[in-house]
């Protein structure tokens, strides 16, 4: 028995085996993490400037997020680090917080966002990311990119910006060229030129670091005192990040809403990263585990005073291009950033703010995908409206509001598709045993069995679309309808209400509704929701392994019910005189029903 591990021990061993580097691969992963760390330093500092806090908080996030996310993510190549979209959302949530309280509020915001992500993974919300419309995401991410570009023009030129949103601030800068600081502008343009020029060479992974070094040395060599430096925003602490306790006294509605917005952005972006970079083994990553991993990373980052983090498309691409084969490349890139914090923190303070603005501008412009935007635009009017609405909302409203609008637009698009895609066809059994589909009749026929099949969703608007599309039973007497629901494992309250109401309408004209192909568990719900015993106008036939068997059985019962209905129904005759014509008419109607 000692050789047989308990399930708990086996589970622990599996976790350790999944985290431990394979034999002989550690130093290869350590070297593969160097390019990611080099690029992560300027990215983290630039992201912190979006949040409006000391750039060192971006370095803390880059280091701790990569380590915590790397240790726990189910996508083994995904790099969990700072992202522009999450930073912009965090900055929007902290915009109204007093400067002296912003760091404490940042800690609380990041931890709250992590808790929301962790909870989303624990309750299995990973599959819901697929319901976020592609056109909505394209509009939002493009709006974020444009927002960042517009918001960095003041730092790039050294001008003072006015306005409540980035577009207004950019307009105030562009229309006041006399307020620009020439040395700052030269530094910024030089950084942009280096970033763009080196991006097309083998030195592309080191382009951002080269821009930091060249512009920092230039600002120092020429004694450009008018050029704002990172150190101007506060002292750069030397050494490893120190843990901090969140101040719950700063908790308010704006902070909670902002944390939820950050969580939504991070989770949707992380799902996209996981899809684009599969695991080396080919195994599909568990989206819920990735949710929990990003939640754990944000909680850890928050306690170490970092800004929010999430799966990064750009840094994951750098990681894989550098030769990453397992999670340790991401982990080691975080370790190398800690080395930078210990050994080179003094140099971090000498970086010009204009250079960080250049890094954000070039990265944001590069993230805009014209081909994907064009494809989404050509998809049709709904996609155009959704993309344009989300884009404008991202430019003009706080990020949390834009995220809410984007989620609402996705839901409306889904509901709209459900209602438009619903289609009802009539199934006609042929003499050779085959079944032909044909358009469903608009009106039911007297004493006839009509078999209908439904294509499309029956939730929300789809159920209401079904109500409008079902054949009208009001002009038919004794009509039986067989409704095939094969493949559906659940129905909402709206769908049950529609079916119950339709059965009542059939019953008012002496008709009956038969429902076939119903999943056994769903069949039990019919009885509990509608109460079949009391509501005798509906009869349910559970699905069977053989396709069509349940519907065939329902059709036979419908025909048998018609015969019994005719036999028990009084024949209309002239009771006053008992005329032969009345008797003949009743006999012919009865015979016609039996033949049908």
């Amino acid at each position: 028995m000692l050789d047989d591990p308990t399930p708990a021990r086996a589970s622990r061993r599996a976790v350790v085996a999944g985290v431990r580097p394979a034999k002989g691969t550690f130093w290869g992963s350590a070297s593969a993490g160097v390019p990611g760390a080099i690029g992560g330093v300027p990215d983290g500092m630039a992201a912190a400037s979006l949040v409006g806090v000391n750039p060192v908080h971006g370095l803390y996030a880059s280091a701790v997020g990569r380590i915590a996310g790397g240790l726990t993510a189910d996508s083994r190549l995904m790099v969990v680090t700072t992202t522009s979209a999450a930073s912009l959302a965090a900055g929007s949530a902290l915009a109204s917080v007093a400067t002296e309280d912003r760091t404490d509020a940042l800690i609380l915001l990041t931890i709250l966002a992590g808790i929301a992500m962790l909870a989303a993974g624990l309750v299995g919300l990973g599959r819901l990311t697929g319901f976020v419309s592609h056109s909505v995401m394209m509009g939002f991410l493009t709006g974020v990119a444009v927002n960042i570009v517009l918001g960095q023009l003041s730092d790039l030129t050294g001008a003072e910006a006015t306005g409540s949103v980035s577009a207004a601030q950019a307009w105030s800068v562009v229309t006041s060229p006399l307020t620009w600081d020439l040395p700052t502008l030269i530094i910024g343009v030089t950084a942009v030129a280096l970033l763009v020029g080196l991006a097309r060479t083998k030195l592309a992974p080191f382009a951002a670091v080269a821009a930091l070094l060249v512009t920092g040395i230039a600002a120092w060599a020429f004694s450009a005192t008018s050029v704002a430096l990172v150190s101007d925003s506060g002292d750069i602490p030397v050494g490893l990040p120190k843990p901090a306790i969140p101040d719950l006294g700063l908790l308010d509605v704006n902070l909670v809403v902002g944390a939820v917005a950050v969580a939504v952005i991070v989770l949707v972006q992380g799902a996209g990263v996981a899809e684009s970079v599969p695991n080396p083994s080919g195994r599909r990553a568990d989206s819920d585990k990735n949710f929990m991993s990003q939640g754990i990373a944000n909680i850890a980052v928050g306690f170490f005073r970092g800004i929010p983090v999430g799966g990064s498309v750009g840094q994951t691409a750098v990681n894989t291009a550098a030769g990453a084969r397992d999670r340790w490349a991401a982990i080691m890139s975080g370790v190398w950033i800690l080395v930078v914090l210990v050994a080179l923190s003094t140099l971090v303070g000498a970086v010009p703010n204009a250079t960080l603005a250049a890094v954000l501008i070039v990265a944001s412009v590069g993230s805009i995908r014209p081909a994907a935007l064009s494809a989404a635009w050509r998809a049709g009017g709904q996609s155009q409206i959704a993309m344009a609405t989300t884009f404008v909302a991202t430019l003009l409203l706080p990020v949390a509001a834009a995220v809410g609008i984007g989620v609402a637009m996705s839901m409306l698009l889904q509901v709209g598709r459900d209602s438009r895609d619903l289609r009802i066809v009539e199934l006609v059994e042929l003499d050779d045993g085959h079944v032909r589909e044909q358009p469903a009749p608009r009106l039911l026929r007297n004493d006839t069995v009509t078999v209908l099949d439904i294509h499309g969703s029956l939730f929300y608007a789809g159920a209401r679309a079904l109500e409008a599309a079902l054949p009208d039973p009001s002009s038919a007497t004794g009509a039986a309808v067989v409704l095939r629901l094969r493949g559906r494992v659940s129905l909402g309250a709206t769908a049950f209400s529609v079916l119950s109401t339709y059965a009542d309408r059939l019953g008012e004209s002496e008709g009956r509704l038969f429902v076939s192909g119903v999943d056994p568990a769903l069949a039990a719900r019919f009885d509990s929701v509608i109460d079949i015993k009391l509501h005798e106008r509906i009869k349910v036939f559970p699905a069977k392994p053989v396709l069509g068997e349940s519907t065939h059985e329902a059709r036979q019962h419908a025909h048998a019910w018609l015969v019994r209905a005719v036999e028990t129904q009084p024949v209309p005759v002239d009771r006053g005189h008992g005329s032969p014509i009345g008797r003949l008419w009743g006999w012919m109607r009865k015979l016609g029903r039996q033949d049908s």
Side-chain angles (χ1 to χ4, degrees):
M1 294 295 291
L2 294 177
D3 294 333
D4 295 330
T6 63
R9 188 182 304 169
S11 177
R12 287 195 297 270
R13 289 182 177 179
V15 171
V16 172
V19 173
R20 185 173 52 200
K23 187 176 181 179
T25 64
F26 176 77
W27 291 111
S29 296
S31 62
V34 172
I38 292 173
V41 169
D43 283 355
M45 295 169 62
S49 69
L50 283 177
V51 182
V53 295
N54 191 312
V56 75
H57 295 292
L59 296 180
Y60 293 162
S62 292
V64 177
R66 290 166 190 256
I67 295 172
L71 287 170
T72 56
D74 198 50
S75 293
R76 300 191 176 190
L77 300 181
M78 182 169 71
V79 178
V80 179
T81 185
T82 57
T83 70
S84 296
S87 298
L88 191 66
S92 177
L94 298 176
S96 59
V97 178
T99 304
E100 62 271 16
D101 293 330
R102 187 160 295 176
T103 300
D104 291 331
L106 170 66
I107 295 169
L108 186 57
L109 171 74
T110 306
I111 292 175
L112 287 174
I115 292 172
M117 297 176 209
L118 183 60
L122 288 173
V123 300
L125 296 182
R127 58 189 175 85
L128 295 184
T129 56
F131 288 92
V132 179
S133 163
H134 177 69
S135 55
V136 166
M137 277 306 300
M138 290 305 302
F140 175 73
L141 293 178
T142 305
V144 166
V146 173
N147 236 339
I148 291 172
V149 171
L150 297 177
Q152 296 306 306
L153 291 181
S154 60
D155 281 342
L156 190 73
T157 60
E160 288 290 335
T162 58
S164 58
V165 296
S166 296
Q169 294 168 5
W171 179 254
S172 71
V173 171
V174 171
T175 55
S176 305
L178 296 179
T179 64
W180 298 0
D181 179 67
L182 184 58
T184 300
L185 180 62
I186 293 173
I187 289 289
V189 172
T190 301
V192 170
L194 285 170
L195 290 166
V196 175
L198 293 178
R200 302 178 180 274
T201 69
K202 293 181 180 180
L203 297 176
F206 310 99
V209 172
L212 296 185
L213 290 175
V214 171
T215 56
I217 292 172
W220 169 77
F222 291 99
S223 300
T225 56
S226 63
V227 176
L229 304 179
V230 166
S231 57
D232 295 338
S233 62
D235 295 333
I236 305 298
V238 178
L240 298 175
K242 298 177 182 179
I245 302 299
D247 183 1
L248 297 180
L250 295 173
L251 188 65
D252 60 14
V253 174
N254 289 336
L255 211 61
V256 173
V257 172
V260 172
V262 169
V264 171
I265 293 169
V266 167
L267 295 180
V268 174
Q269 282 191 313
V273 175
E275 288 291 333
S276 63
V277 185
N279 283 315
S281 63
R283 178 182 61 82
R284 184 181 179 87
D286 188 320
S287 57
D288 290 325
K289 289 182 179 178
N290 281 339
F291 274 22
M292 290 187 283
S293 168
Q294 292 173 97
I296 292 169
N298 275 279
I299 292 172
V301 164
F303 278 113
F304 284 99
R305 298 182 295 160
I307 65 176
V309 295
S312 168
V313 176
Q315 285 299 309
T316 301
V318 170
N319 191 43
T320 54
R325 294 294 179 266
D326 59 18
R327 63 176 75 247
W328 279 90
I331 296 169
M332 289 306 299
S333 69
V335 173
W336 295 132
I337 293 176
L338 290 178
V339 172
V340 171
L341 281 168
V342 172
L344 303 173
S345 57
T346 303
L347 296 179
V348 168
V351 173
N353 288 341
T355 305
L356 296 183
V359 170
L360 286 170
I361 289 172
V362 172
S364 298
V365 172
S367 69
I368 298 174
R369 299 157 55 193
L373 287 171
S374 176
W377 190 262
R378 294 195 304 269
Q382 267 204 335
S383 293
Q384 294 170 2
I385 293 173
M387 187 163 60
T389 301
T390 313
F391 175 77
V392 173
T394 307
L395 286 183
L396 302 180
L397 298 175
V399 174
V403 170
I405 290 174
V407 171
M409 288 293 297
S410 293
M411 294 176 63
L412 289 174
L413 285 173
Q414 183 66 35
V415 170
R417 289 191 194 99
D418 289 347
S419 61
R420 288 196 317 276
D421 291 346
L422 187 126
R423 185 168 61 94
I424 300 179
V425 296
E426 183 179 5
L427 302 181
V428 179
E429 193 171 11
L430 304 179
D431 294 337
D432 60 3
H434 288 83
V435 176
R436 183 183 70 236
E437 278 191 357
Q438 64 184 34
R442 294 182 61 186
L443 303 174
L444 293 178
R445 298 177 292 274
N446 291 335
D447 308 319
T448 303
V449 176
T450 303
V451 182
L452 302 174
D453 197 8
I454 303 172
H455 300 285
S457 171
L458 291 182
F459 285 96
Y460 308 116
R464 293 304 179 193
L466 171 68
E467 185 175 36
L470 285 169
D472 185 1
S474 59
S475 61
T477 302
V481 174
V482 177
L483 202 59
R484 185 174 183 266
L485 298 180
R486 181 83 183 191
R488 302 177 190 277
V489 296
S490 63
L491 290 175
T494 305
F496 277 114
S497 174
V498 168
L499 294 178
S500 176
T501 300
Y502 190 65
D504 286 338
R505 294 181 63 198
L506 281 167
E508 290 170 0
S509 301
E510 303 174 16
R512 180 71 65 88
L513 177 63
F514 300 81
V515 183
S516 70
V518 180
D519 183 89
L522 181 57
R525 288 199 63 202
F526 264 88
D527 189 43
S528 62
V529 175
I530 299 180
D531 197 348
I532 301 298
K533 293 179 181 178
L534 297 177
H535 202 293
E536 296 182 352
R537 293 167 178 173
I538 299 179
K539 186 171 181 61
V540 178
F541 293 83
K544 296 186 177 181
V546 178
L547 290 177
E549 184 177 357
S550 172
T551 301
H552 180 70
E553 182 183 355
R555 182 190 284 112
Q556 288 182 322
H557 275 76
H559 280 293
W561 173 81
L562 278 179
V563 171
R564 289 196 301 272
V566 169
E567 290 176 346
T568 57
Q569 183 176 349
V571 177
V573 296
D574 184 346
R575 297 186 182 277
H577 302 283
S579 71
I581 295 177
R583 295 192 193 95
L584 178 63
W585 181 89
W587 176 81
M588 291 177 63
R589 186 167 183 266
K590 181 177 180 180
L591 181 62
R593 287 185 176 180
Q594 290 175 336
D595 289 343
S596 64

